[in-house]
Amino acid sequence: MKNGEVLLDVKELVQYFPIRRGVLQKVVGYVHAVDGISFDIKRGETLGLVGESGCGKTTTGRSILQLYKPTSGQVIFDGMNLVELNGKKMREERKKIQMIFQDPYASLNPRMTVEEIVGEPLKIHKIVENSEIRNKVKELLELVRLNPAYIDRYPHEFSGGQRQRIGVARALALNPELIVCDEPISALDVSVQAQIVNMLEELQSEMNLTYLFIAHDLSVVKHISDRVAVMYLGVIMEMTSRDELYSNPLHPYTIALLSAVPIPDPEKEINRKRIILEGDVPSPVDPPSGCRFRTRCPLAQEICAKERPEFREVKPGHFVACHLVREITPGVFRAEI
Amino acid sequence: MSEVTNQPRRKSPVESLSQESREKLKNLNADIISTRKIGRVERFFGKENYRILKGLVTTPTSIVGLILIAFFVLIALAAPVIAPPLPNTDPYQMPRDGYSAQPKPPMSEWKSDVPPTPGWYTFFTGKEEWVHLMGTSSNAYDIFYGVIWGTRTALKTGVIIEFITLLIGILVGSFAAYYGGKVDNIVMRIVDIFMTLPFLLAALILAAVLMPVLGRSTVPSVIALTAFGWMNYARLIRGDILTVKERDYVLAARVIGVKDRNILFKHIIPNAIFPTLVIASMDIGTYVLNFAALSFLGIGTQIGYADWGQILSFARDWITQLGTYWYIVVYPGIVLVLFVLGWNLVGDAVRDVMDPKLRKLQESSQEG
Ligand SMILES: Nc1ncnc2c1ncn2[C@@H]1O[C@H](COP(=O)(O)OP(=O)(O)O)[C@@H](O)[C@H]1O
Ligand code: SF4
Ligand SMILES: [Mg+2]
């Protein structure tokens, strides 16, 4: 398959978590963590997934990897619907989709050495002979710019950035095609964040990787993404190319998120339209009817409470879910009352 | 040697790189930050467990406790030297000096069936004749002998009870945590029901029922104490497994394709079991105390078995004259108290190190 072809196609993915109570564990409600999202990622591309904490980004990543059984929807990877695979087949497919975790302190087993951690996937999938694992792990450590001499150390002997590199080495061990990076730098010192992002970018071009890159603010993904999807309360609100999103955001939520990102140019800084977000994200147990963003949206109308806005392609490649976005004058789109 | 699956071999990541970029990567190794230096012990046990162990050997009360425990272990090991048994008899049977019901005071002369005089006694006193160092109880059993060999009984029964109890607790707790949902709920309700039973009373009743069936030995008490002692460990391990289950490294194991059972045994249990093991091992003192209590109440070993509880039980016959026959109670009483104290001191320190916040909370809520 060539670059540019669709590698991952997520269709109407829904992930609810039942809330159980009482001795009989009766289901009393659901957390609507992901509520019908669709997007695709092309081979070799990086899709940034952005949204405030608690809006379902991690859940999206995990549902794609079938760590949770999706409530409904399809996750088509390389032409195969992962949702329908049985345990054994899925374990085979896991080789091709890997994950980098947010918290490098929690994602490495403290009782295992670097060799055991990075070597485990090699062993399970019999990628190399057992006698070769050690050498292979050393190669992988070099690949993530870690000194192979540390191979017998335990995770707690490393700094956060180094641990994250170990996590990346583990993810690369199976030579995957897609890597879900779940806020891989949020937990790190600012000083090492750039190092890790740069490394991920270099690895991407060296190994032709495809990334789903999750972040909670738009400044991080701006650097690494080709396209960006903005998520709010389990729903994707806007999705388009990076340049289009930053220069011409349409959804009020995207504008609000961008308002929090400082612009280096002082003139633009003064003139730009700002939406300051107030309050917290509502509970996903009982999300607002209609448009999920309406409780915090300064433009909200009656229709916003009644109907869920369709996720539509207003311009080629520019998707947005808002009732009010329309073409104001030919070629100019905006959310206006 | 493991077989390599015969599907076309994928290029390794490094192989797929150009020579040039490999060189570049090597140079980039320069950004490695120096790592924290770590000793071998800490490396073996892991950071958190190491902290607990370190707390154990640095807290003063815990050190006192450890010394006491070590002292009793030494006594148990050296019992044949400290109080040599009569040749060709069961060493756990206390030797008796005749059949007199009347206790004899400490240092009184040993008349009949005298066991070999221990070398240390001769060494210190220069005397060849063995005496009743701590006197005799009713029926002329030698108290000193019972106290020394009773240490062995205590440690043995303590460890056995602890081991079985812990095993049951861990199995039940892991089972509940692993299956979760309804299974977990039902199992934990059963645990709750067991917890509401008054421990010693329940054990007493069960042991009393078992004794006629199984005969007089340590077995009925061991079974009875185990049957009502496992619940705390089940709760502990279940809680820790549930916590560990949510850690990212467990998810990471699933992502790379580790099978569920291996996840449980390789990633979850090794990271969850340590606190339960430590807390449980410190409960040995309590089990020995309860075992002695059952013995005192007349349930347990056959008459004359070297067992602190039993010696104490002889005092029941002389309850009105304990001023005269104080030695029946005082000597075995002191060793029992010191033994339990040793374990409790260490146990308290362990709990403190493990969860100081929780502990303070409990104490303040008890006061308030
Ligand atoms: N395993 C789970 N069980 C129940 N609720 C969950 C679970 N995982 C996440 N949630 C809930 O789903 C929502 C989305 O969480 P998450 O995907 O972690 O958001 P994000 O990664 O964007 O911060 C949150 O309200 C969270 O509490
Ligand atoms: S649909 Fe309505 S509430 Fe939602 S973003 Fe658009 S204007 Fe705001
Ligand atoms: Mg998250």
Side-chain angles (χ1 to χ4, degrees):
Chain A
M1 241 216 276
K2 283 199 235 100
N3 276 4
E5 287 176 50
V6 173
L7 178 64
L8 177 77
D9 193 0
V10 175
K11 290 182 178 165
E12 286 301 320
L13 181 68
V14 175
Q15 183 74 62
Y16 292 168
F17 296 110
I19 304 167
R20 295 173 194 278
R21 288 280 143 72
V23 183
L24 297 173
Q25 296 286 286
K26 253 176 60 181
V27 176
V28 294
Y30 291 93
V31 180
H32 299 61
V34 173
D35 209 352
I37 61 173
S38 303
F39 60 88
D40 59 17
I41 309 183
K42 299 179 180 65
R43 192 178 287 270
E45 176 188 51
T46 299
L47 176 71
L49 183 62
V50 179
E52 284 164 287
S53 184
C55 67
K57 308 178 299 291
T58 297
T59 307
T60 303
R62 291 180 179 176
S63 305
I64 290 172
L65 273 104
Q66 307 300 304
L67 294 173
Y68 305 134
K69 182 152 184 38
T71 310
S72 69
Q74 295 181 322
V75 177
I76 297 164
F77 177 79
D78 216 350
M80 216 179 313
N81 186 0
L82 300 182
V83 179
E84 287 165 0
L85 294 186
N86 62 23
K88 205 171 155 208
K89 282 224 183 86
M90 188 57 217
R91 219 170 294 131
E92 269 308 300
E93 282 308 296
R94 288 213 185 286
K95 282 197 257 186
K96 301 186 202 151
I97 317 175
Q98 286 296 306
M99 186 157 185
I100 301 170
F101 294 83
Q102 175 169 2
D103 181 358
Y105 289 87
S107 60
L108 307 176
N109 185 337
R111 314 279 298 154
M112 286 164 77
T113 63
V114 174
E115 179 179 2
E116 289 167 329
I117 291 170
V118 180
E120 192 173 29
L122 300 171
K123 215 174 193 168
I124 287 167
H125 294 283
K126 303 200 170 84
I127 303 292
V128 293
E129 304 272 349
N130 276 350
S131 57
E132 271 300 302
I133 286 183
R134 195 170 167 87
N135 282 334
K136 179 83 190 213
V137 171
K138 284 185 175 169
E139 278 182 17
L140 285 161
L141 291 182
E142 255 173 62
L143 193 64
V144 296
R145 289 76 154 155
L146 261 186
N147 191 337
Y150 295 159
I151 189 165
D152 292 317
R153 304 232 173 166
Y154 284 86
H156 56 272
E157 300 178 61
F158 294 93
S159 68
Q162 289 173 320
R163 283 162 167 246
Q164 201 55 298
R165 289 170 197 268
I166 299 170
V168 175
R170 171 177 59 195
L172 293 178
L174 295 169
N175 204 7
E177 292 167 28
L178 173 70
I179 300 185
V180 174
C181 310
D182 187 1
E183 304 203 30
I185 60 167
S186 312
L188 301 180
D189 270 6
V190 182
S191 56
V192 292
Q193 285 186 348
Q195 285 176 16
I196 299 287
V197 172
N198 290 341
M199 179 182 78
L200 288 173
E201 275 194 310
E202 278 170 42
L203 289 170
Q204 178 170 39
S205 56
E206 305 278 8
M207 297 170 61
N208 196 22
L209 296 167
T210 307
Y211 288 152
L212 174 62
F213 196 99
I214 298 173
H216 62 249
D217 72 82
L218 276 162
S219 55
V220 175
V221 289
K222 183 171 186 179
H223 185 63
I224 193 168
S225 308
D226 300 304
R227 284 187 303 141
V228 179
V230 178
M231 198 166 175
Y232 185 79
L233 258 187
V235 178
I236 293 184
M237 292 298 184
E238 184 164 13
M239 178 167 75
T240 182
S241 72
R242 176 204 33 199
D243 293 340
E244 168 81 1
L245 188 92
Y246 286 86
S247 62
N248 193 15
L250 294 181
H251 199 282
Y253 182 57
T254 313
I255 296 171
L257 285 182
L258 280 172
S259 302
V261 180
I263 300 178
D265 184 341
E267 207 167 305
K268 274 192 187 161
E269 175 78 46
I270 292 163
N271 290 335
R272 73 169 160 164
K273 212 173 130 206
R274 276 169 176 272
I275 295 179
I276 306 300
L277 277 182
E278 277 164 16
D280 292 323
V281 184
S283 159
V285 176
D286 191 13
S289 62
C291 176
R292 297 266 160 120
F293 187 52
R294 70 173 164 84
T295 53
R296 297 165 85 194
C297 179
L299 305 178
Q301 303 295 303
E302 217 169 289
I303 184 175
C304 302
K306 283 194 194 126
E307 279 173 43
R308 184 165 164 173
E310 190 195 346
F311 189 53
R312 58 203 163 99
E313 189 168 14
V314 288
K315 286 195 269 183
H318 196 154
F319 295 81
V320 63
C322 171
H323 290 300
L324 298 188
V325 169
R326 56 196 165 89
E327 198 162 13
I328 308 289
T329 54
V332 178
F333 294 80
R334 211 180 295 149
E336 254 187 30
I337 302 162
Chain B
M1 185 129 344
S2 81
E3 51 164 329
V4 176
T5 40
N6 54 6
Q7 55 180 314
R9 194 167 159 270
R10 302 171 67 121
K11 264 188 173 179
S12 94
V14 175
E15 276 167 353
S16 61
L17 300 184
S18 65
Q19 191 57 40
E20 186 196 345
S21 52
R22 278 206 216 186
E23 283 306 311
K24 202 173 85 190
L25 293 188
K26 287 233 172 75
N27 294 337
L28 268 163
N29 255 327
D31 78 341
I32 286 168
I33 316 132
S34 73
T35 57
R36 197 161 72 84
K37 262 263 166 282
I38 268 163
R40 196 174 284 174
V41 186
E42 175 166 2
R43 205 175 269 187
F44 180 76
F45 284 102
K47 193 179 174 189
E48 183 55 15
N49 299 343
Y50 177 72
R51 191 180 66 86
I52 294 169
L53 288 176
K54 204 171 140 201
L56 267 191
V57 295
T58 50
T59 316
T61 52
S62 159
I63 294 173
V64 174
L66 286 173
I67 292 173
L68 278 172
I69 293 170
F71 172 72
F72 281 106
V73 170
L74 277 179
I75 289 184
L77 288 175
V81 179
I82 301 173
L86 278 168
N88 305 322
T89 54
D90 175 8
Y92 284 99
Q93 197 63 30
M94 289 185 277
R96 54 197 303 192
D97 185 4
Y99 296 91
S100 145
Q102 194 87 351
K104 281 190 223 158
M107 303 311 282
S108 50
E109 202 183 329
W110 198 304
K111 298 233 172 71
S112 57
D113 290 332
V114 193
T117 310
W120 63 267
Y121 182 73
T122 317
F123 179 82
F124 282 114
T125 60
K127 289 180 194 156
E128 292 288 339
E129 257 74 79
W130 196 206
V131 293
H132 297 293
L133 266 187
M134 297 178 177
T136 65
S137 66
S138 14
N139 302 323
Y141 290 111
D142 183 50
I143 295 178
F144 178 71
Y145 189 95
V147 165
I148 298 298
W149 284 81
T151 311
R152 270 198 176 188
T153 309
L155 276 170
K156 251 179 25 186
T157 48
V159 168
I160 289 172
I161 296 171
E162 189 55 71
F163 181 79
I164 304 175
T165 317
L166 186 58
L167 198 70
I168 298 175
I170 287 178
L171 287 178
V172 173
S174 322
F175 177 80
Y178 185 68
Y179 286 100
K182 279 191 190 124
V183 176
D184 182 32
N185 231 285
I186 292 167
V187 173
M188 292 327 281
R189 287 301 84 76
I190 295 173
V191 169
D192 287 346
I193 292 169
F194 266 81
M195 301 258 306
T196 58
L197 301 173
F199 173 64
L200 198 55
L201 190 64
L204 177 70
I205 293 170
L206 182 59
V209 171
L210 286 175
M211 206 170 63
V213 185
L214 300 172
R216 287 195 86 98
S217 71
T218 50
V219 178
S221 305
V222 169
I223 294 180
L225 291 172
T226 329
F228 300 104
W230 53 272
M231 297 82 72
N232 248 331
Y233 308 140
R235 273 193 175 174
L236 267 173
I237 190 85
R238 170 183 170 272
D240 283 344
I241 287 181
L242 288 182
T243 317
V244 171
K245 216 171 153 183
E246 295 303 313
R247 302 250 163 91
D248 282 352
Y249 55 78
V250 174
L251 270 183
R254 289 180 61 199
V255 171
I256 57 174
V258 186
K259 295 203 180 95
D260 281 356
R261 201 161 34 98
N262 291 343
I263 290 181
L264 181 72
F265 287 113
K266 205 169 154 196
H267 292 272
I268 300 180
I269 290 187
N271 283 297
I273 205 168
F274 190 80
T276 311
L277 283 186
V278 176
I279 290 204
S281 56
M282 295 313 141
D283 286 344
I284 288 179
T286 313
Y287 283 117
V288 167
L289 185 64
N290 287 314
F291 182 83
L294 291 184
S295 248
F296 179 79
L297 295 170
I299 290 171
T301 54
Q302 62 272 27
I303 307 292
Y305 196 87
D307 158 22
W308 299 337
Q310 188 172 133
I311 308 176
L312 285 167
S313 75
F314 289 136
R316 283 184 311 190
D317 305 336
W318 309 96
I319 218 112
T320 51
Q321 299 161 60
L322 277 184
T324 321
Y325 303 126
W326 53 272
Y327 40 88
I328 313 181
V329 184
V330 170
Y331 292 121
I334 285 177
V335 282
L336 182 58
V337 166
L338 286 180
F339 186 91
V340 176
L341 182 71
W343 291 98
N344 283 359
L345 285 176
V346 183
D348 278 0
V350 167
R351 278 170 251 257
D352 267 351
V353 182
M354 275 187 182
D355 207 347
K357 261 182 264 156
L358 184 77
R359 170 126 189 152
K360 285 210 187 80
L361 226 91
Q362 278 171 348
E363 275 166 8
S364 62
S365 72
Q366 271 162 17
E367 283 157 19

